[in-house]
Every structure is written in structure tokens, then in C-alpha cells.
Amino acid sequence: MRKLSVLVLLVFGASALANAQSISILEGSSFHKAVVGQEYGVLEETATPDLGGVLYVFIQNNDIAADGIDSITVYNGGDETAVPDGWLVWPPVMDASNGNISTVTIKGIAAPLAEGEAVSVVVHSTNGARGSIHIAELVTPKLRLANAIPSQDGQTLFLYFRNDGTVDAEIEEVRINAQSWTFAGANTPIVPAGQVHILELTGELDLSEAAPLAIRVKYDDTWVSAGIRVVPPTAPIGSWHSSGLNPENEEGRKRLRRIGVEMLQGIGNPTFMADGFQRYHIRTVREPFFGDPFDVNVAIPEIQALSEEPFVEVWTVDDEPDLNGKPIDEQLLRAEAYRQNDPNTATHVNLAVQKKYQRYGYYTDIVSMDHYAAPSAPNVIPLTNVPIVGRMSEPKEALEYSDVLKWNTEPRRNWSWVQLAASTWDVQANPAAINYQFWAHFAAGAKGLKYFVAQSQTADDFPEQWEEGITCFKEWKQIRNLCLYGEPVLTGTVTSNEDALARTLVGPEGMVVMVLNNSLRFTGNSLTGFNTLFDPMYYSVEFDVPSWLTGVSAYMLTDSTKIPVNLQQLGNGRVRINPTSQLNARSHVFVIAPADTEAPNAIEGLNVAEYIDSANYTFSWKEPWDNVGVQGYNVYFNNVLVDRTHAPIYELKEQALACNGYWKFSAYDNSGNIGPADSVLLVLSGGNAPVIVEQPISQQYFDWAWNGIAHLTIGIDGFAGIQWQVYNNSTNGWDDLSPYSFNGALSTSLTIVRDSLQMEWIGLPFDWISEHYIFRCRVFDPCGDVVFSEESIVVYDMVGVSELSIENLSLFPNPTLDGRFTILMPEHLQRGELSVHSTLGQLVHSSKVSSHQSHITLNLPVSSGLYTVRIVSADGLWQGKVAVSK
């Protein structure tokens, strides 16, 4: 195996010796060649391909006085100088705060900064010291430093190692800034070939945002290294800048928050951005206009003015500088302006052309990419020479784009742009394409995602796309933190009747398996639109479960729940899943993890986001942390559970306002763990508001009693407490049926929302002798207002069902060929409950009938079978059977 051969030469000039200044080039330099896409990376014909790579060199200041890097000179291994494509240094000053160590990152697109070349680097310090290094052969390590992510509490650094070689790798030592960790014997971390290992490091590391990390790792007498800055541990959802930033577009900002948008990118007005953050916790990917060409004198005042603003998520250095080949030195000037004038905020660049990812992606902390799920615009813009950069002619292109971006910028954080809808080009990604893009980018390791376009009008103009975006977000946020702390492993294999692909994200607490249907394909190549085709796929998927995950179980994710699936053990940690359903347009996502017993954190930043009038209030809060992910939020009013919402925004309309009180919100995950709540007092300013729901009872169905068991169902709109009551013939009054329970809760305490509630009542007090009983529900809101349901009758006999008199119903036509038939009303019927049941007891219809109706015609959308039709009333019981033959 070829090694990275390094000879360190320290040379000091007379002035350096006189000033007693010295610097050292530390061992651990590492080279990483450019990775080029094999199928989809289309580039302008005249552009020079990137055949080079990135070289990391680590400099130590050996003196008490602070020092910096003034210049570097690159040689081709001999005396001939070479001009690198660009270089940067972080931190710019070497002092005790960072261990007196800086990282020099050097980028070249050709020899001598290319695989297999010899290169020499001479570094000159600000104080006149000089150091040099000669590398006999540049070789890319087989062990990749894939990610460096701090823990949520900032106490631990997770280092992710991916072994791209064919033999296992043993990690001997890790050095970060001035700290080191050594391993030997049984404690030696081993990264199996083709697998991932996660190393947790604790110490005196500064893990605050933008803190420098000079990471050097020794394995098998070889080094893999990188110099990066800390990026906060988040995996955000965002969008391109839009009218959603404008305060007058309040509904638009609410829509963006409902879909899950947490950040917006754009130039915009800082006052509007601050307002959006204060009201809805939407942060800004700030993209100031500094002039073209770049003018540092314009840039510095704005950067300094906004450097302390909490709404700035990151600074965008540029958008698509690679598309037209903007000079790299200008990009470095932009990045340097940000770092010098706001050293505590991460930087970001968005790229467009795949084969230029590494050329433009090494100088910022976060790198994102454009990818549009359409076979034409904007990928081939009419009347221009803009290249095809994302034609999405095959779905796996999204994977290759993300893979190439990650391989070229590791361990920097990666984001991806995906298309939601784009009225500008009149070519839309349909829901299948959006779904595939969404999961493909996360499968390749994206740590954040931005929609292009998610503007406020998108919900009206492209409702299917908008709803798919909401569905994807609802699914993903249940596992978002597993995705953040997960690293792609390419060991998943699919056995299928169609082209399919499986990817796994392996993390310290669990893993996510994504199965993508690659039979998805697009037809059409013009601006008029395109069609999406996919073939149904039956499959099984196999993958390896890492040794540190024990006691795991598996479930398939949906937007609202999790479906348990069986894990078939194959031995040596490999398992198989055989799904019970076929895969069509939507991706299948599985979670393999131990039981989730950790509740989400308390929500923070709860505020009343909008004060329009007493009939319209909106609450907003920050998305809390959960070790897996948050599924949704419970909404309480005066400690009564009144609603649930999937997004960190909740709107009160006029009918939902009843009285002054405390509104409280808490997060829950998909295992049912509920986090601590935060509350806010809402005092209405418009006097007495209407009751919550004028008539909260939307439907009722009361079944006949069989063998002493009465089944009663009632539908509720809005939020309400419910108390069942029965009329007592002895006292001529109503008695509460407490503590009889239903749906697992006592009748005096249950609160439900927009749901059907069924009570199973077993037995009556023996002093009640009657053949029928009258029931009703008392429905009350949190403010104490009460509404009663209509009275409904259940026939009951203490002796038994067999002794009751049942009269026949007249039904015609019988059989019916389409589910349509007529019921002739009994002569003595005053009022009653009509129901239709299948042979399995499923209720397919219920309604009230009275003496005003001579007959009633039903048109039931049911399948073929025999159905029981029944009318229950105080006047008697009528029953018949109708056959449906379609």
C-alpha cells in the first residue's frame, strides 16, 4: 500500500533567528484528490477538468508572541514554483486560545497538487519565520474523515470514519488542535472495510460555532486529516428567499412555517428578516450584495452591523460562482471578509456544476448544491449556453450529485437544494419526483435541505407539490436527529423485481434504511412539462447492523405513525427486512434502533407571534431536540389537551377562543414520549369571545344492546370534554355514567379532537327495569360552557336478546346490484336510529329517522356481501338483511 511520504524541513532565516520567532509544520499533512461524477456531471466544453485535490498542512507557532501566516509558496517537488488554485488559513492568528496551531488548506486543479505527484510547500509567518515540507507522493487516504459533529450539549465531538479500502483500519492516535488521544490493544478503534466507525471524544475542546478544528488522525502508520470550523449540530429545512420575508405577507410566512421551513436564503431587508425571526423563528441564510466585482469596503460595514443578529443562520459567500467560472481569488476575499469581521458565524457557498464541487467547495464551512427534478429548464435554459447540470433523466442522479459533493468536501457540512415547484420555468416536479429527491439527498449524507421553490403562493399554485413537501417533512423530522448523526454506508442490498437501491445512515443511537425505487423515470424534454412513470416494486433489503447497536427493533416510517416490521437475523450482524407492501412512487424508510425512552426537550422561544385582533392569534416556537426526532406537539388550554399540530406553529381562529387562559405546548416523539411544556398567558382584548364550538357534536351512532353490552359512538369537532349520561326513569333525571371508561380514559377526563369516540357500556344497575334507555352526551369546553347531544335510545333487556320482539324491515330491491336500495319506514315508528353493518360488524352507515319519513333510500359505496339493516327506537326494533351483488 502506498503511503504519504513526508520529509519535514525546518529552515530559519537570519531575521527569524534574530527575532527568536519559529514555526513548525506538524506531521499529519493529508491530501484528498478531486472526485468526479461518472454519469451525470456535465461540464462546459471549454472548462479545465479538476484533476487535482486539496492538501491540508498544519502549522504550529513555537513562540509566546502570537503569529500568523503571511504567504505560502508551492513547488513541484523541485525548484519550479506552481500557482495553486487557492489557499486559506484558519485561524488567522496562532495563539494560546487555539493551541498555537493553524491549518493551511491548499487547492490545486492540476500538477503538482494531484494524485501521485511530488510537492513542496514553504510557509512564511507574519513575524518572519519560515517552515517547509516536502511530500514525495500525494496519496488519498483509504480511511476518510467523513464528518465532525458536536453533541447537542457541546461536550462531545463525534468523529465519523468511513473505510473506503478493502482491509480493516486501526486508529492509533487522534490529534485535534493541541490535544491528543492515543489508543492501543483492546481499546484500539477498528474501522471495518466498507464500514463506518463513530469515535466520541471529550476534552477541553472549544465546540462553539466557527471554532477551529485542526484534525489529524493516524491509522496504520498513515495520516488522514482536515482543517474545518465547528458547525452547530442542526439539520435545517429551508427555502430560497421569497415574499415570505415581508411582514405584510403574514399568511405567506405562516405557510412556510407549516411546511417546516426554518430558514430562508436571500438578500432581503434586515428589518424584515429580524421580524420573521422574532415572530416565527425563521432564520436567514444571509446573502448581502457587495457589488460585482466584490468590494470589501461595502461588505465590511454590513457584516459588522449584522454580526450579532440572532436571525443570521450562516453567511452565504456566493451563489453558483462555479456556473460561470468566477475567479476563485474573489471568492476567497469574500470568505475572508466574513471570517475576519464575524469570526463566530459559519460560512456557506451554493454550487451548481458537479465537476467543480471541490474547486469551489473547500473554503467555506457549509457547501450546498442545486438539483432540479426536471428534464429541462432550468437545466437547459433556452438561448443560453448554460450546461445541463441536473437533468434528472434518471432518479439515481440525485444520489450521485450528493455523493460527489460529499466526497469532495468531507468533513464539511453539506446541504442540498431540491425542487418543490418553480413557476418561473413552468416545469414541475411531481410528488413522486419530490419524494425521491428528498430521500436520495439524505441517503447520501446531506445534513440540511433547501426547497427551490417554497414560496407562499406555491401552496395555491401547486397544491400537490406543496402537500408532498409537508408529507416528506412530517416523515423526516421524526428521524431528523438520527439523520444528522448518521453517516452513509453502502452495504444495503435489495433483491427486487425492479431496479432498486438501498442506503443506510449509521449513527450512535440508531440507523435509518432508505429504499429508493429506481424504476422511476421521466419522459418529455421541453418546457411544456413532463410525465413521471414508475413500476411497482416487490423487494427484500439486507444490511449490516453495527456492533454498538444492541437490542434493536425495526419499523417503517409514515407521516403519522410507525409500522413495526420483522428483522430476520442472517448472522454476523446482517439482517433482512421483507416488507408487507410494495414500493411504488414513494420511498420506503425504515428505522432500526433500541426502544426510544428519551422524551423531547422542552420547547423554547414560545411567543404569541401575531396580534391582529381578538379573533386571530398565532403561537410559534423553536423546534426542540429529541434523540430520534419530534413527531408533533400537544396543545393544552388551562391544562386540558385540546389539539395537536405537526409544525411548530399553532393558529387560533375566532371559534377557538373562549376565554382568557394559559396555552401550553409540548413536543412528543413517535414512541409516545412527551417532553416538558412551555406556556404563555393569553389575555383577550375584545371582551367575551364566542364559545369554542357552537355545536361540537357532528354525528352520533347508538347501537342496540347485545348480551348486556351497549356500543355508543359520537363524533366531536373542535376540542371538548365529554361525559356520558343516561336517563333514570325512577328519579326522572339524568345520571352520569362515571367512572365507566372508554378509549382508555375516564369519561370525566377524556378530551379528543375531530375524532370519533366509542363507549362500551357493560351492564346497568339492577334497580333499573326497562326495555330501553335514553342516553346523551354532555360536551363541555375548557371555559365551562356545556352543550348536550340529542337524546338517543338503546334497547336493552335484562332477560336476554333472544326474548325481544324483532320485526322485519321491508327492503327493495334485494339483492341490489350497485348498493342502492330503499327502506320502507315502520308504521308505528316515532323516531329512531338507523344503522347498516357488514357481516363482520363494521358500521357502514348511521343516521336518524322519524315518522316524517315514509321511506328512505340509501346508496352505499360498499363491496359485495350481506349487510344487516336495523332501526332501534323506543317504539320497537326492526331489522332486515340486504344482499349487495356488484
Side-chain angles (χ1 to χ4, degrees):
M1 180 175 67
R2 295 188 300 177
K3 308 281 185 172
L4 179 65
S5 302
V6 178
L7 175 62
V8 178
L9 304 174
L10 295 179
V11 183
F12 307 101
S15 61
L17 290 174
N19 294 328
Q21 294 289 335
S22 69
I23 59 175
S24 302
I25 297 184
L26 304 174
E27 63 176 339
S29 297
S30 185
F31 175 76
H32 303 270
K33 71 175 181 179
V35 177
V36 179
Q38 299 302 308
E39 295 184 62
Y40 306 105
V42 180
L43 193 66
E44 297 98 327
E45 295 180 357
T46 58
T48 303
D50 188 352
L51 302 177
V54 170
L55 176 64
Y56 296 103
V57 178
F58 303 91
I59 315 299
Q60 178 171 288
N61 173 26
N62 297 318
D63 289 286
I64 297 176
D67 204 353
I69 308 301
D70 185 61
S71 65
I72 67 165
T73 307
V74 178
Y75 296 88
N76 65 350
D79 297 329
E80 184 178 349
T81 61
V83 179
D85 195 51
W87 64 274
L88 60 89
V89 59
W90 190 260
V93 176
M94 296 177 285
D95 57 25
S97 66
N98 49 57
N100 280 296
I101 296 175
S102 287
T103 303
V104 178
T105 304
I106 309 170
K107 169 59 186 172
I109 61 174
L113 287 172
E115 187 91 348
E117 296 285 338
V119 67
S120 298
V121 178
V122 178
V123 180
H124 303 268
S125 80
T126 304
N127 293 334
R130 180 178 181 273
S132 66
I133 183 174
H134 175 74
I135 302 175
E137 184 181 20
L138 295 176
V139 178
T140 299
K142 295 301 181 185
L143 186 66
R144 300 299 300 268
L145 181 56
N147 254 308
I149 305 178
S151 60
Q152 291 297 310
D153 59 7
Q155 302 299 311
T156 302
L157 181 67
F158 295 90
L159 288 185
Y160 291 74
F161 298 100
R162 188 184 71 251
N163 188 344
D164 290 345
T166 58
V167 297
D168 295 351
E170 295 187 359
I171 298 175
E172 303 165 16
E173 183 179 6
V174 175
R175 302 178 187 178
I176 301 179
N177 299 339
Q179 292 194 62
S180 65
W181 295 259
T182 57
F183 309 96
N187 295 323
T188 301
I190 298 176
V191 189
Q195 295 291 323
V196 164
H197 182 82
I198 304 172
L199 192 60
E200 299 181 27
L201 300 176
T202 57
E204 299 300 323
L205 290 172
D206 179 7
L207 297 179
S208 59
E209 182 175 357
L213 296 178
I215 306 173
R216 293 167 291 152
V217 179
K218 190 176 183 180
Y219 75 100
D220 300 339
D221 295 324
T222 306
W223 291 91
V224 59
S225 58
I228 63 170
R229 298 198 302 171
V230 174
V231 174
T234 59
I237 290 280
S239 175
W240 186 251
H241 65 84
S242 70
S243 57
L245 289 170
N246 300 331
E248 64 268 19
N249 186 18
E250 202 73 12
E251 177 59 27
R253 296 199 291 187
K254 290 181 187 179
R255 287 181 172 186
L256 291 171
R257 198 63 172 136
R258 288 187 211 119
I259 200 176
V261 168
E262 300 165 301
M263 63 184 183
L264 293 173
Q265 171 151 346
I267 300 173
N269 184 308
T271 302
F272 294 171
M273 294 175 177
D275 183 80
F277 176 75
Q278 188 277 327
R279 290 175 184 255
Y280 300 111
H281 301 280
I282 299 177
R283 291 166 66 91
T284 301
V285 182
R286 181 67 175 158
E287 184 188 347
F289 180 70
F290 292 157
D292 194 5
F294 174 74
D295 186 346
V296 69
N297 295 317
V298 176
I300 290 175
E302 182 173 355
I303 296 172
Q304 292 177 342
L306 299 180
S307 62
E308 300 300 323
E309 292 291 345
F311 65 80
V312 178
E313 174 82 8
V314 297
W315 290 103
T316 290
V317 175
D318 207 345
D319 177 47
E320 299 182 339
D322 55 330
L323 189 61
N324 297 306
K326 289 187 178 181
I328 196 68
D329 55 353
E330 178 183 320
Q331 303 304 309
L332 290 169
L333 283 175
R334 289 173 178 259
E336 185 179 10
Y338 285 121
R339 292 182 179 222
Q340 289 183 351
N341 293 281
D342 184 8
N344 300 317
T345 303
T347 59
H348 159 254
V349 65
N350 181 59
L351 303 176
V353 183
Q354 187 192 85
K355 289 184 179 178
K356 293 183 179 179
Y357 281 166
Q358 195 189 60
R359 190 181 308 178
Y360 287 86
Y362 70 91
Y363 58 85
T364 58
D365 308 305
I366 300 171
V367 186
S368 67
M369 52 161 283
D370 287 339
H371 192 266
Y372 309 120
S376 46
N379 308 299
V380 182
I381 300 178
L383 306 179
T384 74
N385 294 319
V386 175
I388 301 174
V389 295
R391 63 182 180 274
M392 196 68 180
S393 56
E394 295 184 24
K396 65 184 70 174
E397 182 192 40
L399 279 175
E400 182 182 307
Y401 262 50
S402 293
D403 282 340
V404 172
L405 174 64
K406 179 173 171 53
W407 290 335
N408 277 317
T409 58
E410 287 176 334
R412 283 167 169 75
R413 197 67 54 84
N414 300 137
W415 291 344
S416 289
W417 285 93
V418 299
Q419 185 180 358
L420 185 67
S423 55
T424 304
W425 304 300
D426 197 30
V427 178
Q428 307 309 320
N430 70 2
I434 293 169
N435 179 271
Y436 192 101
Q437 282 187 110
F438 188 94
W439 289 111
H441 290 304
F442 285 120
K447 300 302 183 188
L449 183 144
K450 294 183 287 182
Y451 278 121
F452 193 98
V453 175
Q455 296 183 354
S456 57
Q457 73 272 15
T458 309
D460 297 325
D461 296 342
F462 310 105
E464 293 182 357
Q465 286 86 342
W466 188 264
E467 288 303 316
E468 184 65 21
I470 292 178
T471 297
C472 287
F473 178 75
K474 288 169 68 176
E475 291 178 347
W476 172 72
K477 75 172 187 174
Q478 296 180 60
I479 57 172
R480 68 185 299 173
N481 300 324
L482 287 180
C483 291
L484 170 64
Y485 285 100
E487 178 64 23
V489 180
L490 309 183
T491 58
T493 58
V494 177
T495 301
S496 172
N497 64 311
E498 294 291 344
D499 182 21
L501 181 69
R503 284 285 185 90
T504 62
L505 291 176
V506 176
E509 295 197 46
M511 59 188 299
V512 181
V513 179
M514 283 157 273
V515 181
L516 309 178
N517 188 341
N518 282 327
S519 72
L520 185 69
R521 56 187 181 272
F522 302 91
T523 62
N525 55 5
S526 69
L527 293 179
T528 59
F530 65 98
N531 298 318
T532 302
L533 304 175
F534 56 89
D535 299 316
M537 190 178 81
Y538 299 88
Y539 70 95
S540 64
V541 57
E542 297 180 9
F543 48 90
D544 296 318
V545 177
S547 59
W548 63 82
L549 294 178
T550 59
V552 298
S553 58
Y555 60 86
M556 186 166 69
L557 193 67
T558 73
D559 61 346
S560 60
T561 188
K562 56 183 184 180
I563 303 172
V565 295
N566 182 52
L567 277 180
Q568 181 182 352
Q569 301 293 333
L570 303 179
N572 296 323
R574 195 160 181 84
V575 299
R576 177 188 295 139
I577 290 177
N578 296 294
T580 57
S581 59
Q582 69 182 23
L583 176 57
N584 291 318
R586 308 197 80 250
S587 308
H588 280 177
V589 181
F590 302 92
V591 176
I592 295 87
D596 179 14
T597 59
E598 182 177 329
N601 289 352
I603 64 173
E604 297 179 354
L606 174 63
N607 62 54
V608 183
E610 183 180 354
Y611 298 92
I612 293 181
D613 53 43
S614 62
N616 195 326
Y617 293 82
T618 301
F619 301 98
S620 179
W621 57 90
K622 291 172 60 178
E623 186 88 13
W625 169 262
D626 182 71
N627 63 317
V628 177
V630 171
Q631 179 173 342
Y633 303 91
N634 288 331
V635 182
Y636 305 87
F637 181 67
N638 289 340
N639 293 318
V640 176
L641 177 64
V642 295
D643 209 346
R644 280 183 166 180
T645 177
H646 79 89
I649 182 173
Y650 187 74
E651 299 161 78
L652 296 178
K653 301 297 184 182
E654 183 176 4
Q655 69 272 18
L657 293 169
C659 54
N660 300 336
Y662 285 93
W663 289 90
K664 187 167 62 176
F665 304 86
S666 63
Y668 62 91
D669 59 28
N670 63 12
S671 294
N673 303 306
I674 301 175
D678 193 10
S679 62
V680 62
L681 174 64
L682 181 63
V683 179
L684 303 178
S685 59
N688 295 326
V691 296
I692 294 176
V693 179
E694 292 183 1
Q695 178 53 268
I697 302 171
S698 60
Q699 61 177 333
Q700 303 176 77
Y701 166 67
F702 291 77
D703 198 0
W704 177 53
W706 291 87
N707 297 325
I709 301 176
H711 296 272
L712 303 92
T713 302
I714 189 167
I716 305 297
D717 285 334
F719 45 87
I722 300 171
Q723 173 65 61
W724 289 98
Q725 295 182 321
V726 64
Y727 190 78
N728 190 328
N729 294 313
S730 300
T731 63
N732 294 321
W734 293 93
D735 293 336
D736 291 341
L737 290 179
S738 178
Y740 292 97
S741 64
F742 42 88
N743 280 13
L746 292 178
S747 59
T748 54
S749 63
L750 182 69
T751 301
I752 63 172
V753 183
R754 301 179 188 89
D755 203 351
S756 292
L757 172 69
Q758 184 178 69
M759 185 185 87
E760 184 176 81
W761 173 50
I762 304 177
L764 284 170
F766 289 106
D767 58 343
W768 293 0
I769 306 298
S770 175
E771 291 187 352
H772 70 271
Y773 293 97
I774 303 175
F775 288 87
R776 74 178 183 182
C777 269
R778 180 174 64 173
V779 183
F780 53 92
D781 62 39
C783 296
D785 294 319
V786 176
V787 177
F788 289 99
S789 69
E790 295 183 30
E791 299 172 11
S792 297
I793 300 164
V794 173
V795 175
Y796 179 82
D797 193 319
M798 299 295 293
V799 178
V801 173
S802 60
E803 298 184 13
L804 292 177
S805 174
I806 302 177
E807 299 185 38
N808 291 327
L809 273 179
S810 178
L811 310 172
F812 58 90
N814 192 0
T816 171
L817 300 179
D818 57 2
R820 182 182 177 89
F821 63 96
T822 297
I823 307 168
L824 187 63
M825 292 293 104
E827 292 183 3
H828 305 296
L829 175 68
Q830 296 298 315
R831 62 176 182 170
E833 310 280 346
L834 168 65
S835 65
V836 181
H837 285 80
S838 70
T839 54
L840 298 178
Q842 180 185 13
L843 176 67
V844 297
H845 173 82
S846 66
S847 60
K848 295 181 181 298
V849 293
S850 69
S851 58
H852 300 294
Q853 300 167 286
S854 61
H855 65 277
I856 184 172
T857 299
L858 299 181
N859 189 5
L860 301 179
V862 296
S863 58
S864 299
L866 190 64
Y867 294 85
T868 299
V869 182
R870 184 184 305 138
I871 296 177
V872 178
S873 79
D875 309 304
L877 175 64
W878 291 264
Q879 183 171 292
K881 295 185 182 295
V882 61
V884 179
S885 178
K886 292 187 175 181

